[in-house]
Amino acid sequence: MISLTVTALVFGVIFLAELPDKTALASLMLGTRYRASYVFAGVAAAFVVHVALAIAAGSLLTLLPHRLLQAIVGAAFLIGAAMLLFQKEEDEEEIRKPADQSFWKVSGAGFMLILVAEFGDLTQIMTANLAARYDDPVSVGLGAVLGLWAVAALGIVGGRTLMRYVPLTLITRIAALVMLALAGFSLYEAVAG
């Protein structure tokens, strides 16, 4: 059974955390050079792989005693919030252009770029934490995948427009505040037991 509440919460957290990340920029750059549907197919497939790995890691964490698990999850959220608040702005990286624009070349380039760039990334760690926190891998996985896909789609199709109206620092601060709230709640549960 899918929990819409958990799915919506995870979607919001992952969406906000991923917006200021390099993925939105990479998706935007690929989307300006190649057919959007080809880019999205590769990027979307890479995100499914990342979320599956994160859910597996989070499910293993649920084997720990509840108080210890809540302390670990709370500390991880605090670290994630600190990473968001204190990260340096990244320079645009040049993305190598495939020799041709076939579906397999373009989607493969998008897949490999995201697969490498996002491995062990903040949102993958957050997804593992959320999977451990809610012990609902299907709802967490669905929310995370949809959040990541939404950011990729925005980056591919409308990233430039969004960034004109919503400052990146505001998005980063909102994501950090949400993570701080989740950290506080998890740490409270660890102490209160």
Side-chain angles (χ1 to χ4, degrees):
M1 190 81 171
I2 294 174
S3 166
L4 292 178
T5 303
V6 171
T7 301
L9 175 76
V10 172
F11 174 88
V13 168
I14 297 299
F15 180 84
L16 288 172
E18 192 65 20
L19 266 179
D21 196 49
K22 60 192 165 290
T23 304
L25 179 61
S27 298
L28 178 118
M29 291 173 65
L30 286 170
T32 60
R33 296 177 182 192
Y34 308 112
R35 179 182 242 164
S37 60
Y38 292 4
V39 173
F40 186 77
V43 168
F47 279 135
V48 169
V49 171
H50 276 286
V51 168
L53 291 172
I55 295 295
S59 295
L60 289 175
L61 288 174
T62 62
L63 300 175
L64 296 173
H66 182 72
R67 292 179 107 183
L68 177 60
L69 174 63
Q70 292 306 319
I72 291 170
V73 169
F77 278 130
L78 281 175
I79 291 167
M83 287 172 65
L84 280 176
L85 289 171
F86 301 114
Q87 72 183 356
K88 290 190 277 182
E89 290 185 30
E90 297 179 10
D91 295 331
E92 292 185 21
E93 296 177 21
E94 187 63 33
I95 298 169
R96 211 171 109 190
K97 187 173 184 174
D100 65 55
Q101 300 237 356
S102 71
F103 172 79
W104 293 110
K105 293 279 185 181
V106 173
S107 63
F111 179 84
M112 290 308 296
L113 176 71
I114 298 304
L115 193 67
V116 172
E118 290 294 306
F119 195 78
D121 192 49
L122 175 64
T123 51
Q124 191 176 31
I125 294 166
M126 287 174 58
T127 302
N129 288 336
L130 290 164
R133 169 97 177 91
Y134 292 106
D135 197 18
D136 186 354
V138 175
S139 299
V140 170
L142 181 61
V145 165
L146 292 175
L148 292 167
W149 285 359
V151 171
L154 278 174
I156 292 167
V157 177
R160 289 182 186 170
T161 304
L162 176 68
M163 294 306 168
R164 272 190 232 142
Y165 298 108
V166 181
L168 195 55
T169 54
L170 176 62
I171 295 166
T172 303
R173 301 263 187 255
I174 291 170
L177 287 174
V178 169
M179 290 180 68
L180 283 172
L182 288 169
F185 187 71
S186 295
L187 292 172
Y188 172 78
E189 281 192 347
V191 172

